[in-house]
């Protein structure tokens, strides 16, 4: 079992920054893929960025490359998403997710993840 709790969402003007946090507890290991996903109103949930603790490797979707940074604090069992140069199209509910199932892999595929947080709203105004 894994529990995930997001925080840090809010409202910001275009060009601004926000930092999302995810507190993780339960069975988290170096083989657990951790990720951030988002779902805009009326759209399907999509991957934003994932991190594989075993290697430190990260993957970002093209729309956020160079603007968002995913990171982890192992000591605090926390996952972060630093979001800079925010755009109105970044407006969505952002979710933290974890994959602990076999085989261990890490990609921005929603169907790969079995554990989800409750989400935190991010609103970017023009």
């Amino acid at each position: 079992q894994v529990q995930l709790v997001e925080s840090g969402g809010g409202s910001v003007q275009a060009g601004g920054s926000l930092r999302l946090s995810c507190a993780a507890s339960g069975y988290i290991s170096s083989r657990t893929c951790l990720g951030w996903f988002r779902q805009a109103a009326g759209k399907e949930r999509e991957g934003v960025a994932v991190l594989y603790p075993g290697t430190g490797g990260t993957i970002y979707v093209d729309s956020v490359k160079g603007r968002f940074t995913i990171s982890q604090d192992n000591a605090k069992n926390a996952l972060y998403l630093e979001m800079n140069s925010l755009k109105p199209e970044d407006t969505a509910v952002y979710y933290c997710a974890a994959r602990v199932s076999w085989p261990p892999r890490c990609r921005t595929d929603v169907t790969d993840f079995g554990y989800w947080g409750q989400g935190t709203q991010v609103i970017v105004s023009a």
Side-chain angles (χ1 to χ4, degrees):
Q1 289 288 340
V2 175
Q3 295 79 42
L4 303 166
V5 180
E6 304 95 336
S7 61
S11 296
V12 65
Q13 289 190 329
S17 299
L18 282 173
R19 187 192 196 206
L20 305 183
S21 299
C22 174
S25 60
Y27 185 71
I28 302 291
S29 74
S30 62
R31 295 179 179 179
T32 301
C33 177
L34 300 169
W36 287 98
F37 294 77
R38 65 186 180 186
Q39 187 166 17
K43 295 186 178 181
E44 293 186 351
R45 193 170 298 187
E46 64 173 358
V48 174
V50 295
L51 180 150
Y52 192 62
T55 62
T58 57
I59 300 173
Y60 296 89
V61 294
D62 287 345
S63 59
V64 306
K65 284 181 180 177
R67 301 189 298 122
F68 290 11
T69 303
I70 187 172
S71 62
Q72 182 188 30
D73 185 330
N74 289 324
K76 297 181 180 179
N77 273 346
L79 183 72
Y80 304 103
L81 185 68
E82 186 75 35
M83 304 185 295
N84 298 314
S85 301
L86 282 162
K87 303 175 181 180
E89 51 264 43
D90 295 318
T91 294
V93 177
Y94 283 71
Y95 297 90
C96 175
R99 171 183 169 85
V100 299
S101 56
W102 189 265
R105 61 175 179 237
C106 208
R107 57 189 188 184
T108 57
D109 188 334
V110 171
T111 61
D112 274 4
F113 291 77
Y115 295 94
W116 296 85
Q118 82 289 351
T120 185
Q121 178 74 56
V122 171
I123 298 173
V124 184
S125 57

